[in-house]
Amino acid sequence: MTDYCFPRHVRLLNAGDYQSVFNDTSSKVFAGEFLLLARKRDDNHTRLGLIVSKKTDKRAVGRNRIKRLVRDSFRHHKMPLAGLDIVFLARQGIKELDNADLDKRLNKAWDQLAKKAQKPSQTKKRDLSKQK
């Protein structure tokens, strides 16, 4: 049975967790209305942090709708994203997207992020070429 819940150990909880992703981003996916930043972890756990400010939607109902859709989409795409800390940053214009369109864009973004995370980073490639 797959685990589709969203407990505390799957969330970025404090400012230090978010700051570590911002300072050491290994992968980025820009999808127009939102941005995904990811950082590789030493273990195989995946964590998600959400940033949906009042600038994106003045009403709490709208911000909560966006966060609910992102959490639900993340639950279904957790397995290929193993070993990443991810921050979802909502941008202006996201509130105009309906639920189906946002879900479709999120699915595409999770797939792109999983592909980018599997590739070795450029700094590791450079270090390996210097050793030769």
Side-chain angles (χ1 to χ4, degrees), residues 91-109:
R91 313 283 300 244
Q92 294 233 328
I94 195 167
K95 72 178 183 179
E96 280 82 27
L97 295 176
D98 62 343
N99 292 357
D101 195 27
L102 181 57
D103 187 51
K104 187 168 56 171
R105 289 181 188 217
L106 281 167
N107 291 339
K108 186 177 177 183

Side-chain angles (χ1 to χ4, degrees), residues 16-122:
D17 293 340
Y18 283 89
Q19 198 62 45
S20 67
V21 175
F22 287 127
N23 291 340
D24 188 28
T25 300
S26 60
S27 305
K28 294 180 188 180
V29 174
F30 180 70
E33 290 80 12
F34 61 89
L35 175 68
L36 293 175
L37 303 172
R39 171 186 166 272
K40 293 194 184 226
R41 293 174 49 98
D42 295 333
D43 57 5
N44 208 18
H45 294 289
T46 305
R47 299 189 303 172
L48 176 69
L50 302 168
I51 300 175
V52 184
S53 69
K54 283 187 178 180
K55 284 185 179 180
T56 58
D57 195 347
K58 296 272 187 231
R59 300 176 59 214
V61 172
R63 294 191 304 273
N64 292 339
R65 176 187 71 92
I66 293 165
K67 290 188 276 190
R68 185 179 63 247
L69 289 169
V70 174
R71 282 192 304 263
D72 185 50
S73 179
F74 172 74
R75 285 183 202 119
H76 294 287
H77 291 86
K78 247 194 305 193
M79 295 304 167
L81 299 169
L84 294 175
D85 279 348
I86 303 167
V87 172
F88 172 88
L89 257 157
R91 313 283 300 244
Q92 294 233 328
I94 195 167
K95 72 178 183 179
E96 280 82 27
L97 295 176
D98 62 343
N99 292 357
D101 195 27
L102 181 57
D103 187 51
K104 187 168 56 171
R105 289 181 188 217
L106 281 167
N107 291 339
K108 186 177 177 183
W110 297 130
D111 293 339
Q112 287 176 351
L113 189 61
K115 285 179 186 175
K116 285 185 177 184
Q118 287 176 353
K119 293 180 183 177
S121 68
Q122 295 296 327

